[in-house]
C-alpha cells in the first residue's frame, strides 16, 4: 500500500460526515475484517469503525489532522496526529499492521495535549 494514500484516506475518512463517502474511504484502505484497538474497546470491521466515527462527529468541533508524515516499518505504519474536540485537544498515534495492501489491525493511542 502506498503510505501517502493510507494517510490521506485515513484522515479524510475520519473527517467525512457523509456515511457513503466515509465507508468508501474506509474500504479503500482497511481490510473488511479490520480490528481497531482502543484502550477501552475493540471495534470489528469497517461498519463498526464508521459507526464510531459518526458518534465522534456529533461534536461540532471534531477535527482530526496529522502532525507529521506517516512512517513505515516492515509491514506496519504509524501516524502521529491531533484531534480537536469541544472538550480540548488530544494527541494521537495510530499504528497499523498491514496485510495484502490494507490495514488489518489498527491501534489508536490518545493522550491529552
Amino acid at each position: 500500500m502506498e503510505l501517502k494514500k493510507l494517510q490521506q484516506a485515513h484522515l479524510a475518512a475520519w473527517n467525512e460526515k457523509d456515511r457513503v463517502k466515509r465507508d468508501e474511504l474506509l474500504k479503500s484502505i482497511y481490510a473488511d475484517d479490520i480490528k481497531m484497538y482502543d484502550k477501552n474497546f475493540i471495534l470489528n470491521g469497517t461498519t463498526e469503525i464508521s459507526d464510531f466515527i459518526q458518534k465522534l462527529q456529533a461534536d461540532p468541533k471534531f477535527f482530526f489532522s496529522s502532525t507529521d508524515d506517516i512512517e513505515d516499518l516492515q509491514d506496519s505504519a504509524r501516524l502521529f496526529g491531533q484531534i480537536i474536540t469541544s472538550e480540548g485537544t488530544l494527541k494521537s498515534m495510530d499504528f497499523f499492521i498491514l496485510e495484502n495492501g490494507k490495514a488489518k489491525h489498527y491501534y489508536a493511542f490518545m493522550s491529552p495535549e
Side-chain angles (χ1 to χ4, degrees):
M1 168 187 292
E2 183 189 333
L3 291 177
K4 273 290 188 200
K5 176 187 173 191
L6 174 60
Q7 180 174 348
Q8 291 169 346
H10 179 65
L11 294 170
W14 282 79
N15 290 310
E16 180 58 62
K17 295 191 184 310
D18 181 281
R19 177 70 184 240
V20 173
K21 290 178 184 175
R22 180 173 60 245
D23 288 352
E24 287 176 16
L25 286 164
L26 293 175
K27 289 178 181 186
S28 75
I29 55 168
Y30 295 168
D32 291 336
D33 61 347
I34 186 172
K35 287 191 180 296
M36 178 186 162
Y37 306 89
D38 179 271
K39 73 177 191 172
N40 298 315
F41 57 83
I42 297 173
L43 300 176
N44 295 290
T46 57
T47 299
E48 287 186 12
I49 293 173
S50 190
D51 291 345
F52 179 64
I53 294 169
Q54 191 164 334
K55 288 178 189 173
L56 294 175
Q57 290 179 348
D59 180 340
K61 290 191 175 184
F62 178 85
F63 185 74
F64 177 41
S65 62
S66 61
T67 57
D68 207 346
D69 289 336
I70 195 167
E71 300 174 274
D72 67 325
L73 174 68
Q74 301 295 332
D75 292 331
S76 67
R78 71 177 177 177
L79 178 65
F80 291 96
Q82 175 178 306
I83 301 165
I84 297 170
T85 72
S86 294
E87 297 187 16
T89 302
L90 300 169
K91 293 187 294 184
S92 70
M93 193 278 286
D94 294 341
F95 183 77
F96 305 94
I97 301 207
L98 309 172
E99 187 176 291
N100 297 321
K102 291 191 175 182
K104 177 81 171 177
H105 298 276
Y106 164 26
Y107 298 84
F109 297 86
M110 285 170 269
S111 62
E113 197 164 69

